[in-house]
Amino acid sequence: MDLLRFSTAGSVDDGKSTLIGRLLYDSKGVFDDQLQAVARSTVNRSAGPLDLSLLTDGLRAEREQGITIDVAYRYFHTPSRKFIIADTPGHEQYTRNMATGASTADLAIVLVDARYGVLTQSRRHTFIAALLGIRHVVVAVNKMDLVDWSQARFGQIVSDYLAFSGQLGLAAPTFIPLSALLGDNVVEPSANMPWYRGPLLLQHLESVEVDGLQTNAPLRLPVQLVIRPNLDYRGFAGQLAAGQVQVGDEVVCLPAGTRSKVARIATYDGDLQAAAAPASVTLLLEDEIDVSRGDMLVHADQLPMVVREFDAKLVWMDAQPLDLARPYLVRHTSRSVRGRVAQLAHRIDVNTLEHTASETLNLNEIGQVRLSLAQPLYLDAYGDCRATGSFVLVDPLTNATVAAGMVDHQAVAQPGTPAGVALFGRAERERIHGHRALALALIGPSDRTAAVQSELERRLLQRGIQALRVDAAFVAPLAAVTAAALPEVAVALIERLVEAGHVVISDLPGLGDPGRLSPADLVRVRLDGQGDAELAIEIADLSESAVATRILTWLGDGGHLAGKLVEGRGAGI
Amino acid sequence: MPASSVNRQRISVTPLTHLQALEAESIHVLREVAASFERSALLFSGGKDSIVMLRLAEKAFRPARFPFPLVHIDTEHNFPEVIDFRDRRAAELGEKLIVRSVEDSLRQGRIVERPGQDNSRNRMQITTLLDAIAEHRFEAVFGGARRDEEKARAKERIFSFRDQHGAWDPKNQRPELWNLYNGRIHPGEHIRVFPISNWTELDIWHYIAQERLEIPSIYYAHRRKVVIRQGLLLPISHLLRPLPGEEVVERTVRFRTVGDMTCTACVASDAADACAIIDETAVARVTERGATRVDDQVSDASMEDRKRQGYF
Ligand SMILES: Nc1nc2c(ncn2[C@@H]2O[C@H](COP(=O)(O)OP(=O)(O)O)[C@@H](O)[C@H]2O)c(=O)[nH]1
């Protein structure tokens, strides 16, 4: 038995509650005491036949208003599947609830009242389902009993719906004519609509193919915590967000870029040879590399984007509107970083899908934005991977969850992207170059750094590494043009070059100072053999070539430059 | 997303069953809490849901110790079999168990009994629980509640925010999307975390069978003296005496929940093991609470009222 999560959306009175009640009731998911409570309330409301909609009516405040206002979860099962329903209201002010319900759903049921046909609300529901990446949409054309079970009416609604849903990039929806009240085509076939030959609703829910194991998707394992009962055991625990991992796989730890091999996949029930999303596992690695919460383990040939700036769609969920000047916390996988919404390109009208310029986003508004982060995140486009393409924004002062975001495909040039990274993001460039980007800061009062730099640059280039020496002579003309201080220009330049996938070698002073270059991108090499650095070499008695060899070997051993240097070991460097 | 350029040898992995998927989700929640909070606790009553939670915690953290203590709010209206089991299980696991009792809260005047009204200790334990949370400055407290139990629960988040008074505001819950949980709090506030929100009663029994979990004996069929009150079978004990006119009968029964002895009913059943219970549960016509909780029948909204005040 597997699991299908679906959400339901419909406007008030479309019959959503009745439909869910019908599904629960006809699949025997309702208990007698719940029915009794319904029977009691039905009497109070004097609403005629057993009102199945009351089965799904939750909180007191809502009962008083007579409408559902939040997301509620319902459960039922048939012999072949367990179902989790995220029951969400459909009126405009509750876009946030619909998005919440849709975020975990594999399928969405959009209700349409056969009498009224496709309304603005139907568009909105469909748009939100598409925005939240739901692949299967069922359009339940309800209350067919009130349109004389008319095939023509149903046909009209289908063509109206297809006329707009095509623009949304939604896979072909499934249309089912039904009567939630009377049960036609929900669980039992309809004698009133012999012209309909498609699946019954429940039958469709039972048979629709859900994302199975995404064994071919790129591996994404966000590390939640390190399990360390004793010195001999260091387990990296997390739930596989995508892909498959196996014992013996080489994995890269982001952001450091360090590598190791999977020694064990440990679970309480014994070790596994392989595991796939969405399993929760604990990995033990062959080497003692530094891995902590917020890091992500991936395969070297399938890197996510590692970015500090990205485009996304944002659903605003807080009464306090978006403030472009304020920092927010970006919660992504097991990571939280500070960031800002740097740009609001436009607002997207959920009803008309029109784009309008806007200064802010209010509750339940959707916008196209660019985020800018203090530290990098490792992202995929939401369309490729929900778990690594989704994030929420938290207000650091109120602690409220203020927005939900979906990461866009980033490959296309965006206005405002710094030159040099316009067409390809860093992750793409690193993949094409076949190694990660970093800055090598050579530190030390040595008259020989220039010679060491040249030697390193030459040897790296020979190995096919995109290396570039950035020394004072290189930066000086730029500093002159921009009339800025040389160190500032150098740092900005080196940052851009690293973003563009290069290995930058530089002996400019102060690069390793806190707050200058991102520590994740920086390897400090001290040539006087002392002090705080990733690598310290006393070069007094060494030739330039010997120094370069030491540095390259160290980089290769640490896995810093991926395949290039590892292959090269013993072959002349 | 880049396609793989390496031809990796793929071992075929079988898709997760629905129970494995639920388990993976619950483990993720447990680990999120362990990684995000300094001080958390797991409410362990000796009941079946919290027994499942302990197994999930083993799966989340072993071979390490649990990064939190177990806490029991003892109503002293508990079944003795359940208390024995509680102590034994905590000892077997080698985990720390903190017990705080409603009786103590009563003695200290933290709670005043309201004779005639809701005399069940379900309501009273709210105070004891909130006191324990304040005493240990817990930031997150795991509960074993499930959304299928009751209407108010159906809407509650997995990370459920509580204000300084421990209160839940159903109208002002934090949006919870994907598996991204917001556990940020100010001092004095806390989060109730419900890792098995998406499990049903039947899932729990399947898991107990699958994991061969030991549970207190009173969950299985046994002979017991009961009275029949408002259609429910109530167990006779030193705390529950027959009312005038009520007849004490002996029946083969089992408990579906094991709370307060004065208001937890049992059901007629011959089910002697988890598999037999699964068969019964699969065709059960009454919810767990409806069958066994007298206090929830008082009004349709009684659970919601309790939760607003800080109930589990
Ligand atoms: N005739 C007819 N009435 C229906 C049908 N489904 C729902 N209704 C009625 O429409 C009204 C609104 O239904 P409800 O389920 O509460 O709608 P919701 O607001 O979408 O949850 C109720 O009076 C239902 O009895 C149907 O298929 N046919």
Side-chain angles (χ1 to χ4, degrees):
Chain A
M1 182 150 83
D2 64 357
L3 187 60
L4 180 81
R5 297 177 196 245
F6 67 92
S7 68
T8 55
S11 303
V12 181
D13 284 345
D14 280 352
K16 190 164 56 66
S17 312
T18 308
L19 180 64
I20 294 175
R22 171 64 61 188
L23 278 170
L24 298 182
Y25 183 70
D26 283 2
S27 68
K28 313 275 184 295
V30 180
F31 295 105
D32 287 345
D33 52 331
Q34 293 175 320
L35 278 180
Q36 271 166 24
V38 167
R40 278 202 298 272
S41 305
T42 304
V43 172
N44 295 343
R45 274 206 201 168
S46 62
L50 196 61
D51 187 352
L52 291 175
S53 70
L54 294 175
L55 282 172
T56 64
D57 205 9
L59 300 181
R60 170 182 285 183
E62 297 164 35
R63 272 200 304 281
E64 282 160 5
Q65 291 176 310
I67 47 166
T68 313
I69 56 168
D70 204 306
V71 188
Y73 295 87
R74 321 275 166 206
Y75 305 83
F76 72 102
H77 68 274
T78 66
S80 59
R81 248 182 198 165
K82 166 166 169 147
F83 297 94
I84 302 181
I85 313 176
D87 179 11
T88 64
H91 26 286
E92 182 156 34
Q93 58 269 45
Y94 297 116
T95 296
R96 84 171 193 176
N97 297 330
M98 283 192 51
T100 302
S103 73
T104 51
D106 307 301
L107 177 147
I109 298 180
V110 175
L111 262 98
V112 173
D113 186 322
R115 293 171 299 173
Y116 310 132
V118 176
L119 299 177
T120 308
Q121 293 91 306
S122 323
R123 273 184 242 274
R124 180 197 315 152
H125 302 152
T126 308
F127 173 60
I128 293 174
L131 186 70
L132 272 293
I134 294 185
R135 279 221 254 173
H136 305 279
V137 170
V138 174
V139 182
V141 181
N142 189 32
K143 305 196 187 181
M144 286 300 290
D145 54 309
L146 298 181
V147 295
D148 293 329
W149 315 104
S150 161
Q151 180 173 14
R153 181 73 192 133
F154 178 69
Q156 182 64 45
I157 291 171
V158 171
S159 61
D160 287 353
Y161 189 93
L162 289 174
F164 81 87
S165 70
Q167 314 158 14
L168 297 172
L170 210 64
T174 303
F175 296 89
I176 304 178
L178 48 85
S179 170
L181 189 69
L182 304 176
D184 293 61
N185 285 345
V186 180
V187 174
E188 303 294 337
S190 170
N192 297 306
M193 293 179 280
W195 47 265
Y196 174 72
R197 307 214 176 279
L200 308 174
L201 179 61
L202 184 64
Q203 203 182 3
H204 182 68
L205 294 175
E206 280 184 308
S207 59
V208 69
E209 208 169 300
V210 282
D211 294 345
L213 292 172
Q214 299 171 7
T215 48
N216 289 319
L219 168 67
R220 302 286 182 259
L221 178 59
V223 176
Q224 285 186 277
L225 87 163
V226 181
I227 295 180
R228 192 143 205 205
N230 55 57
L231 290 178
D232 302 326
Y233 188 106
R234 236 159 46 104
F236 306 114
Q239 183 174 19
L240 286 158
Q244 175 167 336
V245 66
Q246 298 183 183
V247 172
D249 277 3
E250 189 180 40
V251 288
V252 177
C253 176
L254 298 174
T258 45
R259 291 174 177 233
S260 184
K261 282 195 170 152
V262 177
R264 289 175 56 195
I265 303 172
T267 75
Y268 179 82
D269 303 293
D271 281 13
L272 302 174
Q273 279 307 302
S280 280
V281 293
T282 302
L283 297 194
L284 284 84
L285 302 180
E286 285 182 2
D287 310 279
E288 285 241 347
I289 64 171
D290 192 22
V291 180
S292 50
R293 174 172 171 83
D295 291 355
M296 191 186 283
L297 298 173
V298 300
H299 287 140
D301 57 325
Q302 295 177 310
L303 297 175
M305 304 178 260
V306 181
V307 292
R308 267 196 279 180
E309 223 174 59
F310 65 97
D311 293 328
K313 299 202 172 50
L314 214 56
V315 180
W316 200 258
M317 301 191 152
D318 200 51
Q320 224 171 49
L322 163 67
D323 185 344
L324 294 176
R326 282 192 52 192
Y328 295 100
L329 281 176
V330 185
R331 282 278 297 105
H332 173 260
T333 61
S334 56
R335 211 167 148 79
S336 282
V337 304
R338 284 188 168 261
R340 274 187 324 113
V341 178
Q343 280 176 36
L344 172 59
H346 53 255
R347 206 174 55 199
I348 305 169
D349 186 308
V350 280
N351 296 321
T352 62
L353 309 185
E354 267 168 24
H355 297 179
T356 42
S358 177
E359 299 289 301
T360 185
L361 291 175
N362 293 302
L363 179 62
N364 291 310
E365 289 183 340
I366 298 170
Q368 176 70 51
V369 299
R370 167 158 311 156
L371 278 102
S372 160
L373 311 170
Q375 278 107 41
L377 287 177
Y378 339 117
L379 305 172
D380 294 294
Y382 187 72
D384 289 337
C385 180
R386 261 179 162 185
T388 51
S390 55
F391 61 94
V392 297
L393 298 187
V394 174
D395 183 323
L397 295 180
T398 64
N399 292 337
T401 302
V402 296
M406 279 77 50
V407 177
D408 285 335
H409 285 275
Q410 307 288 317
V412 185
Q414 303 284 350
T417 305
V421 251
L423 280 175
F424 292 92
R426 173 165 171 184
E428 275 107 17
R429 284 171 182 273
E430 289 184 330
R431 188 162 56 83
I432 291 164
H433 294 166
H435 61 79
R436 65 162 299 209
L438 53 82
L440 271 174
L442 303 184
I443 307 164
S446 165
D447 44 1
R448 293 169 58 205
T449 50
V452 171
Q453 281 188 96
S454 308
E455 176 68 7
L456 263 179
E457 184 182 32
R458 188 179 63 77
R459 298 262 292 269
L460 286 169
L461 284 170
Q462 279 172 351
R463 297 239 59 88
I465 286 168
Q466 301 294 314
L468 182 65
R469 173 163 52 126
V470 176
D471 53 14
F474 190 96
V475 183
L478 288 169
V481 173
T482 58
L486 191 131
E488 268 57 60
V489 176
V491 167
L493 179 64
I494 291 172
E495 259 180 356
R496 291 289 178 258
L497 287 169
V498 170
E499 277 311 302
H502 291 275
V503 171
V504 178
I505 309 155
S506 178
D507 65 347
L508 286 165
L511 293 181
D513 294 353
R516 283 262 161 90
L517 290 171
S518 160
D521 292 334
L522 185 67
V523 173
R524 291 165 302 172
V525 182
R526 291 201 68 120
L527 299 179
D528 53 8
Q530 35 180 295
D532 176 30
E534 278 70 44
L535 175 64
I537 305 172
E538 170 55 76
I539 68 165
D541 305 324
L542 299 174
S543 68
E544 278 81 41
S545 156
V547 174
T549 303
R550 287 273 287 275
I551 295 173
L552 291 174
T553 307
W554 184 84
L555 288 172
D557 286 345
H560 288 277
L561 293 178
K564 301 269 179 181
L565 286 180
V566 178
E567 287 160 28
R569 277 167 69 186
I573 63 166
Chain B
M1 193 135 64
S4 172
S5 56
V6 176
N7 232 341
R8 231 174 254 112
Q9 277 276 315
R10 308 260 98 202
I11 299 170
S12 84
V13 177
T14 43
L16 301 190
T17 63
H18 86 283
L19 219 47
Q20 289 172 317
L22 291 173
E23 182 189 68
E25 174 182 277
S26 302
I27 292 172
H28 174 260
V29 171
L30 284 155
R31 287 172 170 172
E32 279 303 283
V33 170
S36 332
F37 296 96
E38 295 248 318
R39 288 175 305 279
S40 52
L42 187 149
L43 293 175
F44 176 53
S45 62
K48 67 182 189 321
D49 297 323
S50 61
I51 292 169
V52 165
M53 296 256 291
L54 288 185
R55 171 52 51 91
L56 293 167
E58 289 181 275
K59 296 207 180 194
F61 304 113
R62 291 295 187 237
R65 300 282 303 274
F66 295 174
F68 39 70
L70 316 181
V71 170
H72 184 220
I73 303 304
D74 191 343
T75 59
E76 294 181 35
H77 279 185
N78 293 294
F79 294 93
E81 294 89 340
V82 177
I83 296 301
D84 289 348
F85 180 88
R86 174 198 77 188
D87 294 340
R88 189 153 47 81
R89 188 74 189 115
E92 268 168 22
L93 287 167
E95 301 292 345
K96 181 173 169 195
L97 172 68
I98 298 170
V99 178
R100 288 292 175 271
S101 99
V102 171
E103 209 64 54
D104 286 342
S105 302
L106 280 165
R107 265 197 297 275
Q108 292 156 10
R110 298 281 304 148
I111 308 175
V112 181
E113 227 158 342
R114 292 182 298 168
Q117 283 194 11
D118 180 3
N119 238 346
S120 95
R121 300 219 163 176
N122 279 324
R123 186 176 283 276
M124 294 182 191
Q125 60 182 321
I126 296 171
T127 305
T128 314
L129 172 64
L130 293 179
D131 285 353
I133 289 171
E135 176 193 345
H136 295 276
R137 292 185 301 131
F138 290 131
E139 300 160 320
V141 178
F142 290 109
R146 310 185 317 263
R147 286 172 175 156
D148 77 325
E149 281 178 75
E150 208 277 333
K151 282 189 208 170
R153 295 234 196 266
K155 316 222 151 187
E156 190 160 12
R157 308 294 187 246
I158 291 178
F159 270 46
S160 186
F161 174 80
R162 298 301 150 102
D163 66 15
Q164 267 108 343
H165 312 290
W168 178 58
D169 181 358
K171 278 219 218 158
N172 193 18
Q173 300 194 75
R174 291 175 177 176
E176 196 166 79
L177 293 95
W178 302 289
N179 60 357
L180 297 172
Y181 303 108
N182 176 357
R184 284 178 60 94
I185 49 170
H186 291 122
E189 301 166 341
H190 72 277
I191 305 276
R192 298 284 170 87
V193 184
F194 303 109
I196 56 170
S197 286
N198 285 324
W199 298 51
T200 61
E201 185 187 8
L202 195 57
D203 295 329
I204 294 289
W205 282 114
H206 274 293
Y207 199 68
I208 288 169
Q210 173 191 302
E211 299 288 316
R212 300 205 175 86
L213 293 176
E214 196 194 332
I215 55 174
S217 56
I218 61 172
Y219 277 114
Y220 299 121
H222 58 285
R223 297 290 289 174
R224 186 176 284 268
K225 289 202 172 67
V226 298
V227 291
I228 301 169
R229 191 178 293 170
Q230 293 167 25
L232 300 175
L233 301 181
L234 288 171
I236 293 297
S237 69
H238 69 285
L239 295 168
L240 192 141
R241 293 274 148 221
L243 298 175
E246 276 181 343
E247 191 193 340
V248 176
V249 291
E250 198 177 280
R251 292 285 164 83
T252 301
V253 298
R254 66 179 172 87
F255 287 90
R256 282 173 75 181
T257 62
V258 292
D260 186 329
M261 274 166 87
T262 62
C263 65
T264 301
C266 43
V267 294
S269 167
D270 295 323
D273 58 29
C275 291
I277 291 176
I278 288 168
D279 291 342
E280 273 190 17
T281 306
V283 297
R285 298 303 316 148
V286 178
T287 61
E288 194 172 276
R289 280 187 173 270
T292 62
R293 294 289 286 269
V294 179
D295 51 340
D296 278 336
Q297 293 203 329
V298 176
S299 101
D300 211 15
S302 50
M303 166 67 103
E304 186 180 332
D305 288 338
R306 280 207 305 273
K307 286 187 76 67
R308 281 169 177 275
Q309 291 164 24
Y311 190 64
F312 306 136

